[in-house]
Amino acid sequence: MKKKYLIVGAGFSGSVLAHELCKHSSCQIDVWDERNHVGGNCHTKRDEETGIMVHEYGPHIFNTDKKEIWDFVNSFVEFKPFINRVKANYRDNIYSLPVNLHTINQFFGKSFGPDEAREFINSLGDKTITEPASFEEQALKFLGMDLYKAFFYGYTKKQWGCEPSALPASILKRLPVRFNYNDNYYNNSYQGIPVNGYTELVEKLLDHPDIRVSLNKKFQYSEALQENYDHIFYTGPVDAFFDYKYGKLGYRTVTFEKYTADGDHQGNAVINYCDESVPYTRIHEHKHFAPWEQHDKTVYFKEFSKETTEQDIPYYPKRLESDKEILNAYRAEALRILNISFLGRLATYRYMDMHHVIGEAILFAASYLLALQKGENPPVFPNTED
Ligand code: UDP
């Protein structure tokens, strides 16, 4: 008898999981998503007016250092190489990001070589900080006050809505600092963008006779619903699953102001606006994510960050200490329910990139099927909470 599964959410977590379960076992899967499209926040769609492929929920540049993940996504759709080279606008000057030798030389009006720059930046770092406990301390220890204030303080305050001293150091550790002219935003060796967008990739993952996708379908847990399925995999927000009974987890969300124009607006895919006085965090111009296409017109978006309300789509988990307490209460409760697993960025409340989500969903499908085979309890979460 085929197992019957319900997967809640048709983003990368849900669709990779559905694909893997069908590939490696005999099952029938319902995939529900409350939006009118698959792909979650990675959804892409051609803009009607300009014909440009738009990343509807903000820029997504696929990057990974794992060949198996790169091969996995490339086995479904064509990717073209794309290197993200982000610029920063600070006090009406344009700088190179992530902070690299060009940024340092531009900012300080120098012509340092790599070793001189390293020595100079080391001399600016705050020596009193041994174990950086926050975003701010991490920046002050490794970059010093001036670079921190210019490129990180205002941007981070706008993006996260709080002082960078209240944020974990791990957020800053996402960004490299380089003492050469490499301005590739990511360190990962495999980088690219799917030629026909991410939604096609997700559609292909879900294209299987045993997968039935229902859009505009809201999930509400009930024991009666659960009786229809051998197992439910939930990839939505974990606090929403439990009707917020222990409180709401903090997220930042982003909103966009859309502009269309002739030609080229800013000459680059992403420009960050680091001044605190500029209300938006960045401008993305989507034709530059597909330099292999020709478009006479352009479409670009100013991105604003704000606190998430019930009407907004959650983007960035804040993970403040108070959030972690709430999360642990939900996790403890989740471990007590049978036949439900929680997977992905929203259900595990973590800041995850696409390649993390995909890799974790592949592994989770394998560990679920192994548990089934051994007659053991299925895994509830893919991770343990730190
Ligand atoms: N950040 C910053 N200035 C920048 C770019 C990033 O201060 O110009 C900080 C900001 O707090 C952000 C973090 O570095 O949340 C990580 O940046 P990343 O580009 O990885 O953020 P994402 O792409 O997830 O928005």
Side-chain angles (χ1 to χ4, degrees), residues 233-272:
F233 299 90
Y234 177 80
T235 73
V238 66
D239 53 356
F241 183 93
F242 291 105
D243 266 334
Y244 309 103
K245 65 193 274 193
Y246 299 119
K248 292 195 74 131
L249 293 168
Y251 280 99
R252 295 295 281 178
T253 192
V254 291
T255 58
F256 305 108
E257 260 174 26
K258 180 181 176 187
Y259 299 84
T260 49
D262 289 328
D264 190 353
H265 172 67
Q266 63 179 13
N268 199 43
V270 183
I271 299 188
N272 289 356

Side-chain angles (χ1 to χ4, degrees), residues 97 151-152 155-156 159-160 171 174-175 185 272 316 351:
L97 280 184
F151 298 114
F152 298 98
Y155 187 97
T156 297
Q159 172 155 357
W160 292 94
I171 297 179
R174 290 171 57 85
L175 294 184
Y185 201 66
N272 289 356
Y316 296 97
Y351 195 160

